Amino acid sequence: MTKYLFTFTAGHTGTTYLADLFKANFPEFDTYHELFTTDSWGINTPEISDIHEFNNYGNTRKVKDFWHRKFSFVKDSKAPWYIETSHVNGKAGLIENIWNLRTETHVVHLTRASSKIMQSFHNRFDFMNIGNAWMWYLDWDYSRNLVNPKPFLEQFKGMEIHGWRLWYIIEMEARAAHYKKHYTNIIWHTIDINDLNDKKKVQSFFKELGLKKHLKDIILPKNENKSEIGMPLGDDVKEKILNFLGDYAKGTFGNTKQFRLNTE
């Protein structure tokens, strides 16, 4: 039977690299990064309305119908593994509906230093408008969010876009912790993207998945997302982000001990 692997991540964490890693080392697998074609929305990839529905009302009939269509496509795979690394799926009810695959299913919680994710958002002008956030990320006004956005608004007054970006990263970490605690039918793997640039750590990751690969045979793909600083965040912004994360982790703005904060 085909085994399945998806990701749960904030994005800008190396999902393209992860897909390329599997493609390079296991070409016999059905591996996709993102399924974005003119006819994929609402069938292979959630529409904005699916994301809105899930984040405001939960796993409704509309959301379940999307996953029924999605998994009909996924189940057509005859490969040993079906792998999809898109970060959008996790924000539209992937975890709540993944049981429908009814076989061995893995989810990779892919992490990256918060400062690097923030720099990547900044480079690509993410969160500059609500449409961008609805399409790829999260609105901090969604009714089912776990993390209170108010402290982020208050601490980043005058530069709220940075507060929105940082809140989103923390929200995704909180959701990951919640899912790991309550969805134990899934085989979870947590790995930082930096570790996947080390052949020994890649070999260990493959071993977790039950995949054998000699160290000398492991192929590391070209890293396409290095968050090169085309438009620096600025030292004042970086300092504010790190100070805020440090205070947040200590519980100054609420109990956050249930999930890990990557404050590098």
Side-chain angles (χ1 to χ4, degrees), residues 7-254:
T7 62
F8 189 88
T9 176
H12 291 257
T13 51
T15 54
T16 302
Y17 181 87
L18 180 60
D20 289 344
L21 184 68
F22 281 111
K23 289 176 183 178
N25 290 280
F26 302 99
E28 69 274 21
F29 294 173
D30 280 342
T31 302
Y32 304 91
H33 171 222
E34 295 169 336
L35 294 164
F36 296 146
T37 62
T38 55
D39 58 355
S40 65
W41 301 103
I43 299 173
N44 296 323
T45 297
E47 296 176 337
I48 290 178
S49 61
D50 298 319
I51 298 172
H52 278 320
E53 183 86 3
F54 175 73
N55 286 285
N56 278 316
Y57 307 112
N59 197 27
T60 64
R61 172 50 56 191
K62 174 177 170 53
V63 175
K64 290 176 182 177
D65 285 346
F66 163 74
W67 286 106
H68 176 75
R69 295 190 296 273
K70 167 76 174 176
F71 289 149
S72 293
F73 165 79
V74 170
K75 289 178 181 179
D76 282 341
S77 175
K78 300 298 189 293
W81 284 76
Y82 174 95
I83 295 170
E84 188 177 334
T85 64
S86 171
H87 68 92
V88 178
N89 292 323
K91 291 179 277 285
L94 167 70
I95 306 303
E96 284 81 355
N97 291 280
I98 208 168
W99 64 270
N100 283 289
L101 291 172
R102 300 180 186 276
T103 189
E104 184 176 324
T105 307
H106 300 250
V107 174
V108 175
H109 175 210
L110 191 61
T111 64
R112 189 185 189 196
S114 301
S115 59
K116 291 182 179 179
I117 299 175
M118 292 284 285
Q119 182 63 64
S120 188
F121 287 155
H122 197 55
N123 286 350
R124 301 190 188 191
F125 301 97
D126 284 319
F127 295 86
M128 292 293 287
N129 59 70
I130 192 65
N132 172 267
W134 284 345
M135 177 72 76
W136 306 115
Y137 306 112
L138 292 171
D139 186 343
W140 56 16
D141 284 330
Y142 283 143
S143 62
R144 299 182 67 246
N145 290 331
L146 298 180
V147 176
N148 179 12
K150 187 177 179 180
F152 297 83
L153 281 167
E154 292 173 348
Q155 292 298 312
F156 289 88
K157 195 168 184 178
M159 46 182 171
E160 283 81 3
I161 190 169
H162 298 307
W164 192 357
R165 290 164 173 164
L166 190 57
W167 166 83
Y168 166 72
I169 294 169
I170 304 303
E171 173 70 20
M172 291 300 288
E173 284 294 305
R175 292 189 185 196
H178 170 79
Y179 283 141
K180 288 176 185 177
K181 180 178 180 180
H182 295 285
Y183 290 82
T184 55
N185 58 313
I186 296 168
I187 304 171
W188 289 92
H189 309 268
T190 301
I191 191 162
D192 191 273
I193 190 59
N194 286 335
D195 290 339
L196 296 181
N197 291 297
D198 181 311
K199 285 191 175 184
K200 286 186 177 179
K201 291 179 179 178
V202 169
Q203 185 184 47
S204 178
F205 172 58
F206 286 162
K207 188 176 180 180
E208 276 188 36
L209 297 170
L211 302 171
K212 294 181 180 179
K213 199 79 174 176
H214 292 298
L215 195 63
K216 64 180 179 62
D217 296 328
I218 290 175
I219 301 169
L220 297 181
K222 182 180 178 182
N223 191 344
E224 301 289 352
N225 184 11
K226 297 180 180 178
S227 286
E228 293 171 353
I229 303 174
M231 186 174 58
L233 277 170
D235 291 340
D236 57 332
V237 176
K238 288 181 182 177
E239 183 177 1
K240 195 173 186 68
I241 289 167
L242 293 176
N243 288 341
F244 180 81
L245 283 174
D247 290 340
Y248 201 85
K250 293 173 187 174
T252 306
F253 304 109

